[in-house]
Amino acid sequence: MNVKEFYKAINGNYDNALSIMMNDNLIAKMITKFMNNNSLNEIISFYEQKDYRNLFLSAHAFKGVTGNLALTPLFELSSKITEATRNSDGANLDDEIEQLKKAYSLIEINYAKYIV
């Protein structure tokens, strides 16, 4: 397991993650918890249902977690989704949702290589 290589492969910010969590073992543990939750599926589901209030809440929580984990691509996309739905009854976020799925997929692939 090489957490630093994982962060490089996903365009994350290893130094930020390390400054928050202090060691690779804790980073790996928290990434594992993140990968085992259902938050991405909630975001997708709320968007498909046009439930923008819950989409905002889920994207905001996702933004916080991905920010703390320094998963930069996910953080940036969830920030866009959060801001687009903060005061909105509707938003066309098809591109952002697709980009979020792709970024998450890249993290899944690299998680299997470096963290598991």
Side-chain angles (χ1 to χ4, degrees):
M1 168 174 70
N2 187 323
V3 174
K4 190 171 188 174
E5 289 175 352
F6 166 79
Y7 273 86
K8 183 176 181 180
I10 65 154
N11 297 313
N13 191 321
Y14 172 75
D15 292 333
N16 281 359
L18 189 60
S19 73
I20 292 169
M21 290 175 262
M22 307 307 281
N23 67 65
D24 285 0
N25 288 336
L26 184 55
I27 294 170
K29 180 180 176 181
M30 299 312 292
I31 289 173
T32 297
K33 283 186 172 216
F34 171 74
M35 296 304 294
N36 289 327
N37 75 28
N38 197 33
S39 54
L40 177 67
N41 291 333
E42 285 181 359
I43 289 171
I44 294 166
S45 178
F46 289 136
Y47 182 64
E48 289 171 348
Q49 296 169 29
K50 298 184 184 346
D51 183 346
Y52 296 107
R53 176 68 183 146
N54 281 318
L55 174 58
F56 165 76
L57 295 171
S58 290
H60 190 270
F62 194 85
K63 179 179 88 166
V65 170
T66 57
N68 286 336
L69 291 172
L71 302 173
T72 307
L74 295 180
F75 173 76
E76 290 173 351
L77 288 163
S78 59
S79 293
K80 288 181 184 179
I81 295 167
T82 298
E83 291 311 310
T85 57
R86 181 177 300 278
N87 296 311
S88 176
D89 292 332
N92 183 349
L93 298 167
D94 291 345
D95 289 341
E96 288 81 358
I97 295 294
E98 285 307 310
Q99 290 175 32
L100 190 65
K101 289 178 189 177
K102 287 178 185 174
Y104 189 87
S105 179
L106 179 64
I107 289 173
E108 280 182 313
I109 291 165
N110 285 287
Y111 171 76
K113 287 181 187 176
Y114 296 111
I115 305 295
V116 175

